[in-house]
Amino acid sequence: MSNETKQDVFEAVWNRLAGYQVFFNGWPREAIDEYKKRYDAALPDDLPVIPQAVGEYIKANRGHMSLTSGIENASCISEWLWGKGFDYGNDSVFARAWVLGVWRVEETGEIVKLEAEK
């Protein structure tokens, strides 16, 4: 495994093709530029997957709690968060969802994206 990101690979391909005015079976360069913008703005492939109840907890508390407080006060989702016997199985998944502000709902597959704080 390298330290290269998917974005790095995409940029390398993009830079290699940059000299061509028309490529990919006649697609104009402007069309490819639009796909590049979409790629740059797209969400990561490996979004955290959390139950809907956990997402509701994050929505209700992320704006006024720190991550540490959010985990410490998460008694309503403690069974999912730590499992039985406090094996800390999902704490990193919870932390990623909290920090990113975006996740996939386990039950429905829906992507939830919190609004940026103003």
Side-chain angles (χ1 to χ4, degrees):
M1 182 169 283
S2 74
N3 291 335
E4 195 171 45
T5 66
K6 290 179 182 180
Q7 183 67 34
D8 293 336
V9 174
F10 184 86
E11 292 292 337
V13 171
W14 182 254
N15 291 334
R16 178 94 184 249
L17 296 173
Y20 300 101
Q21 292 301 312
V22 176
F23 46 92
F24 298 134
N25 293 326
W27 281 21
R29 181 175 174 87
E30 294 77 28
I32 304 302
D33 287 338
E34 288 304 312
Y35 282 108
K36 182 180 183 313
K37 289 176 189 173
R38 286 178 55 193
Y39 186 88
D40 290 344
L43 295 170
D45 293 329
D46 59 346
L47 289 174
V49 178
I50 60 176
Q52 187 168 353
V54 175
E56 294 302 323
Y57 176 82
I58 292 172
K59 283 186 213 176
N61 295 294
R62 186 172 176 261
H64 65 275
M65 281 187 186
S66 67
L67 171 59
T68 303
S69 295
I71 290 176
E72 288 174 352
N73 296 305
S75 60
C76 64
I77 58 167
S78 62
E79 187 173 322
W80 175 83
L81 188 58
W82 297 296
K84 294 179 179 162
F86 293 95
D87 64 358
Y88 299 98
N90 290 317
D91 57 341
S92 61
V93 177
F94 177 85
R96 285 187 64 232
W98 184 283
V99 170
L100 291 172
V102 63
W103 58 86
R104 186 176 302 277
V105 177
E106 186 175 66
E107 296 88 344
T108 65
E110 171 192 10
I111 294 175
V112 176
K113 186 175 181 184
L114 299 179
E115 294 292 322
E117 294 180 28
K118 295 177 169 89

